[in-house]
């Protein structure tokens, strides 16, 4: 858990040593939502569909909260590379305050206007009540998650990645234990279904925040103080938003496009809805290690840029891309060849098994493109090259993925296979655009420390 102190130290540190704790942490964070759906699959298919729809909205919220946190990680890494400890403390303070304010607003909006958000997805009437219950009460605790995400970004900026992994392990164990008791009931405790999931999930978030606060005081020598807000550091907030809003816009655009695509899927029937939800859960295992590689690379790139070693950045990024594509493609092929057995964990419905098999053939090519995109987007962000990722994302996600999902899935009647084909084309097109941008070396001209 020792932070890196020099550019040389960063280069000596294997990206894999940084990747595996990030991998476990992201896996467990994603599993908070996916475990809920898996455990509900043995309770009610309608509950799975309800929580899956509500999680579309929750995922957008988490992306929005991560906007500021991602910026903080990059700026912390760069200021550490430049040896400026005071600026690190200032960034942490401003980022935490901003996320807390944002979290309060979102919590209130989801609790009060849940019907509006579910209406955007055209959620079917037979799962509306459970989707509303989940969205309102998970949404109410978003402010807790906003603080937790902020502290996670501080630890990443300091390369203290095992700590965030430990917090995720603890949170998931609490969530799973709570689900075991509350979904089906135990002894005098009645079966609560979706309500039980919200209770265990929110409890795990509160305890996770308390744990990461303890670790922050113990392992990071940074004092969060109001003195950094007097006078208010407008320049620091500007840099956070300059990095975060466009960069977060790329991720946010993706999640909103997925909401629209989910609306298309919701008119295709319960079998298609549950197949899509299960496919998303399973697909996570194809790309999650590549995402961890990309995040570890982003930290190293930020540190190296702060230290002025751009040639090392170039080598690091291309090496990560080769590794990420190889791993994602290999894992997806394994999932494809074992599709029936893997979907069988969730259901024995033959229609779901057959549809899922077709989906994962397309998924092989989709994940190769996604691996390139994740590494490229995070590397460009760390280098301060902000506009290309969000512009490319906005154009491609909506004109190729979303419009294509409607055209292939609904207009041509190809159903979920058509939806997946459109998303595959989107990922591969963006991958080619980002490779072109990196090779043009426009990212070398940015300097976030001025």
């Amino acid at each position: 858990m020792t932070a890196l102190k020099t550019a040389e130290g960063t280069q000596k540190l294997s990206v894999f040593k940084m990747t595996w704790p990030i991998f476990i942490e992201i896996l467990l964070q994603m599993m908070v939502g996916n475990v809920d759906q898996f455990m509900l699959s043995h309770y009610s298919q309608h509950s799975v569909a309800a929580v899956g729809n509500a999680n579309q909205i929750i995922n957008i919220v988490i992306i929005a909260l991560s906007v500021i946190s991602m910026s903080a990680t990059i700026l912390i890494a760069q200021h550490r590379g430049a040896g400026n400890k005071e600026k690190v403390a200032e960034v942490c303070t401003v980022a935490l305050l901003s996320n807390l304010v944002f979290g309060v607003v979102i919590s209130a909006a989801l609790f009060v206007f849940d019907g509006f958000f579910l209406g955007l997805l055209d959620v079917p009437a037979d799962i509306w009540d459970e989707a509303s219950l989940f969205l309102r009460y998970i949404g109410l605790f978003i402010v807790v998650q906003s603080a937790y995400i902020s502290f996670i970004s501080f630890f990443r900026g300091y390369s203290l990645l095992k700590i965030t992994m430990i917090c995720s392990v603890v949170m998931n164990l609490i969530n799973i234990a709570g689900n075991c008791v509350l979904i089906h009931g135990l002894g005098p405790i009645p079966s609560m279904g979706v309500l039980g999931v919200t209770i265990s999930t929110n409890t795990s978030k509160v305890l996770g925040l308390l744990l990461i606060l303890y670790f922050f005081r113990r392992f990071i020598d940074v004092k969060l103080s109001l003195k950094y807000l007097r006078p208010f550091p407008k320049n620091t907030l500007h840099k956070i938003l300059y990095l975060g809003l466009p960069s977060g816009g790329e991720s946010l655009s993706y999640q909103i496009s997925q909401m629209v695509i989910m609306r298309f899927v919701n008119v295709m029937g319960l079998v298609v809805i549950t197949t899509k939800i299960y496919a998303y859960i399973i697909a996570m295992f194809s790309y999650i290690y590549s995402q961890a590689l990309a995040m570890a690379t982003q930290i190293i790139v930020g540190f190296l840029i702060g230290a002025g070693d751009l040639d090392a950045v170039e080598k690091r990024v291309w090496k990560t891309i080769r590794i990420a594509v190889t791993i994602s493609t290999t894992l997806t092929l394994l999932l494809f060849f074992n599709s029936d057995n893997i979907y069988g964990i969730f259901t024995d419905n033959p229609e779901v098994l057959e549809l899922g098999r077709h989906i994962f053939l397309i998924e092989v090519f989709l994940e190769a493109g996604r691996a390139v995109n994740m590494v490229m987007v995070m590397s460009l962000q760390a280098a301060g090259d902000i506009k290309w990722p969000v512009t490319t994302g906005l154009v491609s996600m909506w004109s190729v993925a979303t419009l294509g999902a409607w055209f292939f899935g609904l207009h041509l009647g190809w159903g979920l296979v058509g939806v997946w084909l459109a998303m595959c084309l989107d990922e591969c097109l963006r991958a080619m655009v980002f490779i072109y941008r990196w090779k043009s070396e426009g990212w070398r001209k940015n300097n976030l420390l001025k």
Side-chain angles (χ1 to χ4, degrees), residues 329-368:
T329 304
T330 301
L331 289 175
T332 312
L333 282 169
L334 290 173
L335 291 175
F336 168 68
F337 287 118
N338 295 278
S339 175
D340 285 0
N341 292 330
I342 295 170
Y343 275 97
I345 297 173
F346 300 94
T347 180
D348 57 0
N349 188 322
E351 293 180 84
V352 173
L353 298 181
E354 182 180 3
L355 183 55
R357 195 181 315 120
H358 296 317
I359 291 304
F360 263 89
L361 179 59
I362 302 172
E363 185 75 13
V364 173
F365 302 96
L366 186 153
E367 292 304 337

Side-chain angles (χ1 to χ4, degrees), residues 67-68 71 75 91 94-95 236-245:
V67 163
I68 292 173
S71 306
L75 290 174
V91 168
V94 173
T236 297
L237 180 60
H238 176 266
K239 287 180 180 178
I240 288 174
L241 296 178
Y242 170 77
L243 278 172
L245 291 179

Side-chain angles (χ1 to χ4, degrees), residues 68-69 72 75 86-102 150 154 223-241:
I68 292 173
S69 301
L75 290 174
E86 280 295 301
K87 273 293 183 182
V88 170
E90 183 180 288
V91 168
C92 290
T93 303
V94 173
L96 178 60
L97 175 65
S98 301
N99 248 12
L100 283 173
V101 171
F102 196 25
S150 295
F154 304 160
K223 301 297 181 184
L224 300 175
S225 174
L226 293 176
K227 73 176 184 179
Y228 296 112
L229 305 177
R230 296 191 299 263
F232 190 82
K234 295 180 181 178
N235 188 47
T236 297
L237 180 60
H238 176 266
K239 287 180 180 178
I240 288 174
L241 296 178

Side-chain angles (χ1 to χ4, degrees), residues 151 154-155 212-220 222 224:
F151 282 101
F154 304 160
F155 281 96
I212 204 165
L213 280 169
Y214 166 76
F215 283 140
F216 180 80
R217 292 174 61 88
R218 181 173 177 183
F219 292 108
I220 295 185
V222 168
L224 300 175

